[in-house]
């Protein structure tokens, strides 16, 4: 790989991928909305002027999974994740297509709130704006890659773990730090997740082979395990527990009063196991990820 383009290089995952390749002396260029990158472009509204040819493109740019509150916020998922992907692909018309293309997708495409060891063959049933936008982006990448004879890889990622993580894990850490985090019903529900460095490790193994893959740490820790390890590392008392019956009562109040930090929807996610099967990634390139729990025992995030 002589030249690499990373989109969304200012984001949580994109920045770490960029730093890895740069630190390992790859010729690595960046595309995002920052004025300090090689290609400053808002992909949701612009076609980039890609005046260089690339061996590998890693498309990390996208709008993260949040619960949209307005029609405009729902539309933004479509604009950024789908239209942005189409605009990126159009940008390659100038100097030709790359040899390899990697798309950072999400396990949200399956549209599930619970389930065990969901594989890549499971139907894509997402009906929320985020999941549907990722499905449409996957489809356009597949069609474009086949038409232009580009080896493509789609990575369907679960919760990402690393220093200063975003999203639900960040909320959990904040609550643990401030002492108001409660496991519910013993925190038995399990979730798939993976350490960011292992995503990079897999990219290096798979970029020239292609395919669609779930990635996980293979352990799928429970909420209790996560909170216990985090508190122990930070010399805090073991996490508190809220009985499920009380949590259901609080959630019903939260459905009516937004300042309550939990509602019925959030409660369902906190008490339901949702794990994904990554055996395909392990078979194709003998991939083995580190345990998230082991990572948390050794690293402050």
């Amino acid at each position: 790989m002589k030249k690499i383009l990373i989109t969304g290089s200012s984001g949580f995952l994109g920045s770490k991928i960029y730093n890895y390749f740069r630190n390992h002396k790859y010729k690595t260029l960046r595309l995002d909305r920052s004025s300090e990158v090689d290609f400053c472009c808002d992909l949701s509204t612009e076609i980039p002027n890609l005046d260089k040819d690339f061996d590998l493109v890693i498309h990390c740019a996208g709008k993260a999974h949040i619960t949209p509150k307005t029609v405009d916020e729902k539309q933004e998922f479509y604009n950024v994740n789908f239209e942005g992907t189409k605009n990126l692909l159009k940008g390659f018309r100038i100097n030709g297509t790359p040899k390899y293309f990697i798309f950072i997708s999400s396990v949200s495409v399956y549209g599930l709130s619970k389930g065990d060891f969901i594989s890549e063959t499971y139907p894509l049933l997402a009906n929320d704006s985020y999941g549907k936008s990722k499905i449409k982006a996957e489809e356009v990448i597949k069609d474009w890659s086949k038409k232009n004879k580009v080896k493509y890889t789609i990575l369907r990622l679960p919760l990402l773990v690393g220093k200063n993580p975003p999203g639900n894990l960040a909320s959990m850490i904040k609550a643990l730090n401030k002492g108001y985090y409660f496991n519910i019903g013993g925190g038995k529900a399990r979730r798939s997740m993976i350490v960011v460095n292992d995503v990079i490790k897999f990219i290096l193994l798979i970029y020239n082979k292609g395919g669609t893959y779930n990635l996980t740490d293979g352990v799928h820790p429970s909420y209790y395990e996560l909170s216990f390890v985090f508190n122990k590392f930070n010399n805090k008392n073991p996490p508190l527990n809220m009985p499920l019956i009380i949590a259901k009562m609080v959630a019903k109040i939260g459905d009516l009063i937004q300042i309550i930090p939990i509602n019925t929807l959030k409660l369902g996610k906190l008490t339901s196991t949702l794990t994904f099967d990554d055996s395909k990634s392990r078979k194709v390139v003998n991939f083995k990820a580190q345990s998230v729990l082991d990572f948390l025992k050794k690293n402050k995030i």
Side-chain angles (χ1 to χ4, degrees):
M1 295 182 292
K2 295 180 180 179
K3 194 174 295 181
I4 301 169
L5 175 68
I6 298 173
T7 74
S9 57
S10 297
F12 176 69
L13 177 59
S15 62
K16 291 174 172 55
I17 293 175
Y18 169 73
N19 287 334
Y20 175 87
F21 281 106
R22 182 192 61 180
N23 292 337
H24 286 77
K25 310 303 181 184
Y26 289 91
K27 177 64 174 178
T28 310
L29 303 180
R30 298 178 289 172
L31 185 156
D32 60 41
R33 290 179 291 184
S34 169
S35 60
E36 300 177 355
V37 299
D38 305 283
F39 300 97
C40 178
C41 177
D42 182 350
L43 288 174
S44 67
T45 59
E46 302 174 84
I47 296 174
N49 180 23
L50 299 173
D51 57 352
K52 296 177 175 62
D53 57 339
F54 300 96
D55 295 293
L56 169 65
V57 174
I58 305 175
H59 183 29
C60 301
K63 182 171 175 58
H65 191 188
I66 60 171
T67 302
K69 297 179 181 180
T70 66
V71 173
D72 287 343
E73 288 182 351
K74 291 182 179 180
Q75 182 64 31
E76 193 174 356
F77 283 119
Y78 179 88
N79 293 342
V80 175
N81 296 338
F82 176 51
E83 293 294 340
T85 297
K86 289 201 299 181
N87 284 338
L88 172 65
L89 300 181
K90 290 176 183 177
F92 294 119
R93 291 176 180 171
I94 299 173
N95 273 26
T97 55
K99 296 177 183 176
Y100 311 107
F101 191 98
I102 294 177
F103 177 55
I104 302 301
S105 189
S106 166
V107 292
S108 293
V109 296
Y110 301 113
L112 298 173
S113 59
K114 60 181 178 180
D116 274 315
F117 301 107
I118 308 303
S119 76
E120 296 88 349
T121 60
Y122 192 91
L124 307 185
L125 302 176
N127 57 16
D128 65 298
S129 302
Y130 175 74
K132 288 194 292 186
S133 70
K134 285 292 190 179
I135 291 173
K136 290 179 73 67
E138 286 191 12
E139 290 172 348
V140 75
I141 288 167
K142 289 178 182 178
D143 290 342
W144 172 84
S145 296
K146 291 175 182 177
K147 180 180 178 180
N148 292 282
K149 298 181 180 180
V150 175
K151 183 75 74 174
Y152 74 90
T153 303
I154 294 172
L155 303 184
R156 294 176 180 159
L157 302 184
L159 191 68
L160 292 172
V161 179
K163 189 172 180 60
N164 299 318
N168 292 332
L169 187 56
S171 299
M172 181 180 184
I173 291 170
K174 180 179 178 181
L176 285 164
N177 278 326
K178 294 192 173 183
Y180 59 77
Y181 176 84
F182 288 83
N183 279 312
I184 297 173
K188 298 177 182 178
R190 293 185 171 273
R191 291 275 160 162
S192 290
M193 51 192 67
I194 189 165
V195 176
V196 168
N197 289 345
D198 283 322
V199 177
I200 299 171
K201 174 183 174 182
F202 187 72
I203 286 173
L204 292 167
L205 293 170
I206 203 66
Y207 77 91
N208 61 351
K209 295 178 176 62
T212 300
Y213 304 89
N214 297 333
L215 290 185
T216 81
D217 75 338
V219 176
H220 320 284
S222 69
Y223 285 106
Y224 174 79
E225 290 171 330
L226 287 169
S227 57
F228 181 85
V229 168
F230 179 87
N231 275 11
K232 186 175 181 180
F233 183 91
N234 290 279
N235 298 315
K236 295 179 179 291
N237 293 326
L240 301 173
N241 181 67
M242 181 183 293
L244 182 58
I245 189 170
I246 296 177
K248 288 181 177 179
M249 295 170 59
V250 174
K252 288 182 179 179
I253 299 173
D255 291 339
L256 303 173
I257 305 173
Q258 291 188 354
I259 60 172
I260 302 297
I262 190 171
N263 55 33
T264 301
L265 179 62
K266 289 182 180 179
L267 178 62
K269 292 180 179 180
L270 291 170
T271 55
S272 299
T273 287
L274 180 58
T275 61
F276 298 89
D277 178 12
D278 68 343
S279 57
K280 181 180 176 182
S281 69
R282 297 170 188 272
K283 290 177 182 177
V284 172
V285 291
N286 196 28
F287 175 66
K288 182 172 176 57
Q290 63 184 310
S291 160
V292 164
L293 296 175
D294 288 343
F295 175 83
L296 293 176
K297 290 174 184 177
K298 301 173 184 177
N299 298 274
K300 185 176 180 61
I301 65 170

mmCIF file of all heavy atoms in Angstrom, residues 14 21 47 52-53 57 86 88 91 103 112-114 138 152 169 172 199 213-214 221 238 249 251 256 259 264 287 290:
data_model
loop_
_atom_site.group_PDB
_atom_site.id
_atom_site.type_symbol
_atom_site.label_atom_id
_atom_site.label_comp_id
_atom_site.label_asym_id
_atom_site.label_seq_id
_atom_site.Cartn_x
_atom_site.Cartn_y
_atom_site.Cartn_z
ATOM 1 N N GLY A 14 -11.597 7.046 13.171
ATOM 2 C CA GLY A 14 -10.785 7.526 12.060
ATOM 3 C C GLY A 14 -9.462 8.122 12.497
ATOM 4 O O GLY A 14 -8.426 7.906 11.852
ATOM 5 N N PHE A 21 -1.397 4.441 10.842
ATOM 6 C CA PHE A 21 -0.742 4.368 9.539
ATOM 7 C C PHE A 21 0.343 5.431 9.396
ATOM 8 O O PHE A 21 1.410 5.177 8.833
ATOM 9 C CB PHE A 21 -1.775 4.492 8.423
ATOM 10 C CG PHE A 21 -2.531 3.222 8.168
ATOM 11 C CD1 PHE A 21 -3.840 3.066 8.569
ATOM 12 C CD2 PHE A 21 -1.916 2.164 7.514
ATOM 13 C CE1 PHE A 21 -4.526 1.888 8.334
ATOM 14 C CE2 PHE A 21 -2.581 0.978 7.272
ATOM 15 C CZ PHE A 21 -3.898 0.836 7.684
ATOM 16 N N ILE A 47 -18.928 16.816 -3.569
ATOM 17 C CA ILE A 47 -18.123 15.755 -4.161
ATOM 18 C C ILE A 47 -16.665 16.177 -4.035
ATOM 19 O O ILE A 47 -16.280 17.249 -4.510
ATOM 20 C CB ILE A 47 -18.489 15.549 -5.641
ATOM 21 C CG1 ILE A 47 -19.931 15.085 -5.769
ATOM 22 C CG2 ILE A 47 -17.538 14.533 -6.287
ATOM 23 C CD1 ILE A 47 -20.417 15.003 -7.194
ATOM 24 N N LYS A 52 -5.555 12.741 -6.422
ATOM 25 C CA LYS A 52 -4.493 11.736 -6.260
ATOM 26 C C LYS A 52 -5.128 10.356 -6.368
ATOM 27 O O LYS A 52 -6.314 10.173 -6.103
ATOM 28 C CB LYS A 52 -3.803 11.899 -4.896
ATOM 29 C CG LYS A 52 -3.076 13.229 -4.734
ATOM 30 C CD LYS A 52 -2.488 13.344 -3.343
ATOM 31 C CE LYS A 52 -1.645 14.600 -3.198
ATOM 32 N NZ LYS A 52 -2.429 15.834 -3.390
ATOM 33 N N ASP A 53 -4.322 9.378 -6.743
ATOM 34 C CA ASP A 53 -4.826 8.009 -6.773
ATOM 35 C C ASP A 53 -4.417 7.301 -5.481
ATOM 36 O O ASP A 53 -3.389 7.622 -4.884
ATOM 37 C CB ASP A 53 -4.315 7.249 -7.999
ATOM 38 C CG ASP A 53 -2.791 7.235 -8.062
ATOM 39 O OD1 ASP A 53 -2.169 8.114 -7.432
ATOM 40 O OD2 ASP A 53 -2.237 6.348 -8.736
ATOM 41 N N VAL A 57 -8.636 2.917 0.507
ATOM 42 C CA VAL A 57 -9.496 3.939 1.107
ATOM 43 C C VAL A 57 -10.218 3.312 2.289
ATOM 44 O O VAL A 57 -10.812 2.231 2.172
ATOM 45 C CB VAL A 57 -10.523 4.487 0.099
ATOM 46 C CG1 VAL A 57 -11.495 5.445 0.788
ATOM 47 C CG2 VAL A 57 -9.809 5.185 -1.041
ATOM 48 N N LYS A 86 -22.018 8.174 -1.432
ATOM 49 C CA LYS A 86 -22.145 8.320 -2.885
ATOM 50 C C LYS A 86 -21.234 9.436 -3.411
ATOM 51 O O LYS A 86 -20.585 9.277 -4.449
ATOM 52 C CB LYS A 86 -23.602 8.609 -3.268
ATOM 53 C CG LYS A 86 -24.536 7.434 -3.105
ATOM 54 C CD LYS A 86 -25.793 7.594 -3.939
ATOM 55 C CE LYS A 86 -26.591 8.804 -3.564
ATOM 56 N NZ LYS A 86 -27.836 8.925 -4.370
ATOM 57 N N LEU A 88 -18.473 10.531 -2.068
ATOM 58 C CA LEU A 88 -17.083 10.075 -2.002
ATOM 59 C C LEU A 88 -16.739 9.229 -3.221
ATOM 60 O O LEU A 88 -15.697 9.425 -3.861
ATOM 61 C CB LEU A 88 -16.853 9.270 -0.720
ATOM 62 C CG LEU A 88 -15.489 8.570 -0.618
ATOM 63 C CD1 LEU A 88 -14.352 9.590 -0.552
ATOM 64 C CD2 LEU A 88 -15.453 7.650 0.609
ATOM 65 N N GLY A 91 -16.111 11.069 -6.282
ATOM 66 C CA GLY A 91 -14.843 11.797 -6.274
ATOM 67 C C GLY A 91 -13.689 11.036 -6.895
ATOM 68 O O GLY A 91 -12.662 11.629 -7.252
ATOM 69 N N PHE A 103 -15.227 -0.067 4.277
ATOM 70 C CA PHE A 103 -16.322 0.751 4.802
ATOM 71 C C PHE A 103 -16.598 0.379 6.247
ATOM 72 O O PHE A 103 -16.803 -0.796 6.571
ATOM 73 C CB PHE A 103 -17.582 0.562 3.969
ATOM 74 C CG PHE A 103 -18.769 1.314 4.507
ATOM 75 C CD1 PHE A 103 -18.704 2.680 4.740
ATOM 76 C CD2 PHE A 103 -19.960 0.650 4.769
ATOM 77 C CE1 PHE A 103 -19.802 3.380 5.236
ATOM 78 C CE2 PHE A 103 -21.061 1.339 5.257
ATOM 79 C CZ PHE A 103 -20.976 2.713 5.493
ATOM 80 N N LEU A 112 -31.660 -5.116 15.479
ATOM 81 C CA LEU A 112 -32.018 -5.931 16.639
ATOM 82 C C LEU A 112 -31.744 -5.204 17.948
ATOM 83 O O LEU A 112 -30.787 -4.447 18.065
ATOM 84 C CB LEU A 112 -31.222 -7.235 16.621
ATOM 85 C CG LEU A 112 -31.474 -8.148 15.408
ATOM 86 C CD1 LEU A 112 -30.498 -9.321 15.429
ATOM 87 C CD2 LEU A 112 -32.898 -8.650 15.406
ATOM 88 N N SER A 113 -32.580 -5.457 18.935
ATOM 89 C CA SER A 113 -32.360 -4.941 20.284
ATOM 90 C C SER A 113 -31.956 -6.056 21.237
ATOM 91 O O SER A 113 -31.502 -5.800 22.349
ATOM 92 C CB SER A 113 -33.624 -4.252 20.804
ATOM 93 O OG SER A 113 -34.723 -5.154 20.815
ATOM 94 N N LYS A 114 -32.109 -7.303 20.790
ATOM 95 C CA LYS A 114 -31.653 -8.442 21.588
ATOM 96 C C LYS A 114 -31.419 -9.624 20.665
ATOM 97 O O LYS A 114 -31.931 -9.688 19.546
ATOM 98 C CB LYS A 114 -32.667 -8.799 22.678
ATOM 99 C CG LYS A 114 -34.039 -9.188 22.161
ATOM 100 C CD LYS A 114 -34.972 -9.487 23.322
ATOM 101 C CE LYS A 114 -36.370 -9.841 22.812
ATOM 102 N NZ LYS A 114 -37.286 -10.141 23.945
ATOM 103 N N GLU A 138 -23.936 0.511 2.425
ATOM 104 C CA GLU A 138 -23.345 -0.781 2.094
ATOM 105 C C GLU A 138 -23.726 -1.199 0.666
ATOM 106 O O GLU A 138 -22.883 -1.675 -0.106
ATOM 107 C CB GLU A 138 -23.812 -1.859 3.083
ATOM 108 C CG GLU A 138 -23.189 -1.779 4.460
ATOM 109 C CD GLU A 138 -23.490 -3.015 5.294
ATOM 110 O OE1 GLU A 138 -23.987 -4.008 4.714
ATOM 111 O OE2 GLU A 138 -23.215 -2.994 6.503
ATOM 112 N N TYR A 152 -13.625 -4.811 -1.990
ATOM 113 C CA TYR A 152 -14.237 -4.069 -0.883
ATOM 114 C C TYR A 152 -14.386 -4.931 0.371
ATOM 115 O O TYR A 152 -14.560 -6.149 0.292
ATOM 116 C CB TYR A 152 -15.602 -3.504 -1.292
ATOM 117 C CG TYR A 152 -16.710 -4.539 -1.382
ATOM 118 C CD1 TYR A 152 -17.501 -4.849 -0.270
ATOM 119 C CD2 TYR A 152 -16.969 -5.205 -2.581
ATOM 120 C CE1 TYR A 152 -18.503 -5.796 -0.351
ATOM 121 C CE2 TYR A 152 -17.978 -6.147 -2.673
ATOM 122 C CZ TYR A 152 -18.750 -6.442 -1.555
ATOM 123 O OH TYR A 152 -19.738 -7.381 -1.634
ATOM 124 N N LEU A 169 -20.822 3.938 26.005
ATOM 125 C CA LEU A 169 -19.735 3.615 26.930
ATOM 126 C C LEU A 169 -19.261 4.868 27.660
ATOM 127 O O LEU A 169 -18.953 4.828 28.854
ATOM 128 C CB LEU A 169 -18.582 2.960 26.182
ATOM 129 C CG LEU A 169 -17.435 2.426 27.056
ATOM 130 C CD1 LEU A 169 -17.955 1.438 28.093
ATOM 131 C CD2 LEU A 169 -16.361 1.776 26.190
ATOM 132 N N MET A 172 -21.683 5.566 30.409
ATOM 133 C CA MET A 172 -21.499 4.622 31.501
ATOM 134 C C MET A 172 -20.303 5.019 32.363
ATOM 135 O O MET A 172 -20.369 5.015 33.604
ATOM 136 C CB MET A 172 -21.309 3.213 30.946
ATOM 137 C CG MET A 172 -21.134 2.136 31.995
ATOM 138 S SD MET A 172 -20.930 0.492 31.224
ATOM 139 C CE MET A 172 -20.871 -0.544 32.686
ATOM 140 N N VAL A 199 -9.546 -3.364 15.674
ATOM 141 C CA VAL A 199 -10.128 -3.022 14.376
ATOM 142 C C VAL A 199 -9.008 -2.728 13.379
ATOM 143 O O VAL A 199 -9.032 -3.196 12.239
ATOM 144 C CB VAL A 199 -11.075 -1.804 14.495
ATOM 145 C CG1 VAL A 199 -11.616 -1.419 13.115
ATOM 146 C CG2 VAL A 199 -12.223 -2.099 15.458
ATOM 147 N N TYR A 213 -17.871 -8.470 7.489
ATOM 148 C CA TYR A 213 -17.510 -9.112 8.753
ATOM 149 C C TYR A 213 -18.079 -8.370 9.966
ATOM 150 O O TYR A 213 -18.053 -7.134 10.020
ATOM 151 C CB TYR A 213 -15.981 -9.153 8.915
ATOM 152 C CG TYR A 213 -15.271 -9.825 7.776
ATOM 153 C CD1 TYR A 213 -14.867 -9.088 6.668
ATOM 154 C CD2 TYR A 213 -15.013 -11.191 7.790
ATOM 155 C CE1 TYR A 213 -14.221 -9.694 5.607
ATOM 156 C CE2 TYR A 213 -14.364 -11.813 6.726
ATOM 157 C CZ TYR A 213 -13.969 -11.062 5.635
ATOM 158 O OH TYR A 213 -13.333 -11.667 4.581
ATOM 159 N N ASN A 214 -18.568 -9.164 10.922
ATOM 160 C CA ASN A 214 -18.771 -8.660 12.280
ATOM 161 C C ASN A 214 -17.426 -8.747 13.003
ATOM 162 O O ASN A 214 -16.663 -9.693 12.769
ATOM 163 C CB ASN A 214 -19.764 -9.529 13.061
ATOM 164 C CG ASN A 214 -21.153 -9.533 12.463
ATOM 165 O OD1 ASN A 214 -21.556 -8.578 11.802
ATOM 166 N ND2 ASN A 214 -21.893 -10.606 12.699
ATOM 167 N N PRO A 221 -18.699 -9.032 27.128
ATOM 168 C CA PRO A 221 -18.828 -8.849 28.584
ATOM 169 C C PRO A 221 -20.208 -8.367 29.005
ATOM 170 O O PRO A 221 -20.930 -7.726 28.233
ATOM 171 C CB PRO A 221 -17.759 -7.795 28.886
ATOM 172 C CG PRO A 221 -17.534 -7.085 27.599
ATOM 173 C CD PRO A 221 -17.739 -8.094 26.533
ATOM 174 N N PRO A 238 -17.307 -1.513 44.456
ATOM 175 C CA PRO A 238 -18.066 -2.247 43.437
ATOM 176 C C PRO A 238 -19.340 -1.502 43.069
ATOM 177 O O PRO A 238 -19.916 -0.795 43.901
ATOM 178 C CB PRO A 238 -18.382 -3.583 44.136
ATOM 179 C CG PRO A 238 -17.296 -3.742 45.142
ATOM 180 C CD PRO A 238 -16.993 -2.354 45.626
ATOM 181 N N MET A 249 -40.311 0.681 37.420
ATOM 182 C CA MET A 249 -41.121 1.788 37.922
ATOM 183 C C MET A 249 -40.482 3.129 37.573
ATOM 184 O O MET A 249 -41.160 4.068 37.136
ATOM 185 C CB MET A 249 -41.286 1.651 39.440
ATOM 186 C CG MET A 249 -42.082 0.419 39.859
ATOM 187 S SD MET A 249 -42.032 0.121 41.647
ATOM 188 C CE MET A 249 -42.733 1.640 42.271
ATOM 189 N N ALA A 251 -38.426 3.685 35.114
ATOM 190 C CA ALA A 251 -38.468 3.853 33.661
ATOM 191 C C ALA A 251 -39.818 4.407 33.202
ATOM 192 O O ALA A 251 -39.881 5.227 32.273
ATOM 193 C CB ALA A 251 -38.173 2.529 32.972
ATOM 194 N N LEU A 256 -42.357 9.764 31.002
ATOM 195 C CA LEU A 256 -43.163 10.982 31.104
ATOM 196 C C LEU A 256 -42.329 12.222 31.387
ATOM 197 O O LEU A 256 -42.683 13.328 30.978
ATOM 198 C CB LEU A 256 -44.217 10.813 32.210
ATOM 199 C CG LEU A 256 -45.167 9.608 32.053
ATOM 200 C CD1 LEU A 256 -46.027 9.466 33.305
ATOM 201 C CD2 LEU A 256 -46.030 9.774 30.815
ATOM 202 N N ILE A 259 -36.145 14.439 32.291
ATOM 203 C CA ILE A 259 -34.951 14.620 33.118
ATOM 204 C C ILE A 259 -34.561 13.340 33.846
ATOM 205 O O ILE A 259 -33.434 13.215 34.335
ATOM 206 C CB ILE A 259 -35.136 15.762 34.147
ATOM 207 C CG1 ILE A 259 -36.317 15.454 35.090
ATOM 208 C CG2 ILE A 259 -35.318 17.101 33.454
ATOM 209 C CD1 ILE A 259 -36.418 16.440 36.241
ATOM 210 N N THR A 264 -38.325 3.447 29.371
ATOM 211 C CA THR A 264 -38.589 2.044 29.027
ATOM 212 C C THR A 264 -37.665 1.552 27.916
ATOM 213 O O THR A 264 -37.182 0.410 27.945
ATOM 214 C CB THR A 264 -40.053 1.872 28.593
ATOM 215 O OG1 THR A 264 -40.910 2.294 29.673
ATOM 216 C CG2 THR A 264 -40.353 0.420 28.274
ATOM 217 N N PHE A 287 -8.052 -14.371 12.829
ATOM 218 C CA PHE A 287 -8.068 -13.162 13.651
ATOM 219 C C PHE A 287 -8.437 -13.496 15.088
ATOM 220 O O PHE A 287 -9.363 -14.261 15.349
ATOM 221 C CB PHE A 287 -9.083 -12.172 13.079
ATOM 222 C CG PHE A 287 -9.278 -10.937 13.916
ATOM 223 C CD1 PHE A 287 -8.254 -10.027 14.070
ATOM 224 C CD2 PHE A 287 -10.491 -10.684 14.522
ATOM 225 C CE1 PHE A 287 -8.431 -8.877 14.833
ATOM 226 C CE2 PHE A 287 -10.689 -9.539 15.277
ATOM 227 C CZ PHE A 287 -9.652 -8.634 15.432
ATOM 228 N N GLN A 290 -8.267 -9.088 21.466
ATOM 229 C CA GLN A 290 -8.066 -9.130 22.911
ATOM 230 C C GLN A 290 -9.385 -8.927 23.634
ATOM 231 O O GLN A 290 -10.312 -8.286 23.121
ATOM 232 C CB GLN A 290 -7.074 -8.050 23.335
ATOM 233 C CG GLN A 290 -7.531 -6.621 23.072
ATOM 234 C CD GLN A 290 -6.472 -5.609 23.433
ATOM 235 O OE1 GLN A 290 -5.901 -5.641 24.522
ATOM 236 N NE2 GLN A 290 -6.193 -4.709 22.507
#
